Amino acid sequence: MNKGDNEEINPDFVTRLAGFLEFDEGRIQHLFEKNYLARNWGKHDYLFRFDKEISRIERGTVFYEKDESFEVIMGFPKIRRAMVLDPTLRKHFSGLEKIAVEEKMNGYNVRVAQVNGEILAITRSGYICPYTTERANVKLNLKFFDDFPELVLYGEMIGPDNPYVPKEIYGIESVEFYIFDIREKNSGNPLPIQKKHEILDEYGFLQVRSFGEIPLETAAEEIAEIVRKLGEEEHEGVVIKDPDMVLAPLKYTSSQSNCSDLKHAFKFYNEAGRDYMLSRIVREGFQTVEWDENEAEFKKRCMQLGESILSPLRESIRSIKNGQRLYEEARIRVKDPKTATEFENYLKRLGIDAVFEEPQSIGDEYLINIKKINKSTNDKTQAILEGDLW
Ligand code: ATP
Ligand code: MG
């Protein structure tokens, strides 16, 4: 977002917001100046977003004026990771008899809510994504939002017609919302799992796969088994939750998902974060020890890990050596071609370099292929091949 966007924040607004958030006015001014607090743009410029976690307000939290005050849609809280299942689960969920296990499905995070009478899809960072918003209005049973205007759906957008995380592994034809939490506006409090299932069933929403409730005592072994099986299908892993949603959830993932992340990261090695790469390698170390693997299993893990690092590197370097440019392919499916144009402008605004191909019609919708260019890896590789130093 450019710096100019926060210029017209008026003093009266700052005063009211300071009162609402219980911050002093100088702090609010400062947050706007730094763009830690920023407006969305265009027709959604009445929606403000936190671009950074501030005083326990989650990054990606959005708010807007409503009835003389404000209404808040809390960001999705980061889920901490168990590096080993035992004793971590017993320690973290100590006092509970049972814990609920859900699949961690791999797409992108989205919140859907009614805002000033409109159904909007909000990304993890608090932007209104035009593509996801159109899909939400086409795919979801909107009656839910009339019946519960104070509730927000938290879910994962999954499937191949996906501009951010396209995956074929779920057998989804286009793209679908899989809901995993229902939370209240303002407080951000989640509904207990039982209540969530009841409501989601009633409105016919798709839900992330549930493995039910498991006794805490045997959870580590059972979850290891579940995650091994998920891994065999290239699925990501699990999120483990307190059935009452009071204690924070934990996540745990399969080796295959670590490797698949690494493949992507090393293909675009100059874009990917170093922490991102390192943490996925360290996870493999803890998993092989906890699962007490024999030499044959260990060698297999070594091969898979090594390949997921070196193969994409070799492929990227070779392509550039052969004069090709590297890019990521993605695809969207829209009802209204205008949505594709809005989405193209939206990506531009976020600084993502993407080329949109001509729409092809499919039924009463349009498919659009997108090429996302990863300039930094392209340029770095080219330069190294021309003799530049690292
Ligand atoms: P990653 O998805 O790689 O773990 P992240 O940084 O987004 O990266 P977190 O901040 O821990 O990770 O968030 C967990 C992610 O898991 C969210 O993106 C959320 O959408 C997704 N998710 C998928 N399935 C579930 C589920 N059943 N319950 C909660 N979150 C889920
Ligand atoms: Mg994810």
Side-chain angles (χ1 to χ4, degrees), residues 104-109 156 165 236:
K104 181 177 195 297
M105 297 183 84
N106 199 4
Y108 63 95
N109 181 280
E156 196 81 355
V165 188
E236 193 177 15

Side-chain angles (χ1 to χ4, degrees), residues 39 52 83 136 221 279 298 306 390:
R39 265 183 202 280
K52 192 176 160 34
M83 291 294 281
E221 276 163 55
S279 67
F298 180 64
W390 176 263

Side-chain angles (χ1 to χ4, degrees), residues 191-205:
L191 300 188
I193 296 210
Q194 191 55 40
K195 182 82 193 153
K196 164 185 86 171
H197 286 312
E198 280 165 26
I199 297 183
L200 294 176
D201 287 344
E202 189 186 331
Y203 289 86
F205 289 123

Side-chain angles (χ1 to χ4, degrees), residues 93-111:
F93 292 109
S94 149
L96 300 186
E97 288 264 305
K98 292 187 162 192
I99 48 186
V101 182
E102 290 176 1
E103 180 168 350
K104 181 177 195 297
M105 297 183 84
N106 199 4
Y108 63 95
N109 181 280
V110 57
R111 284 165 279 163

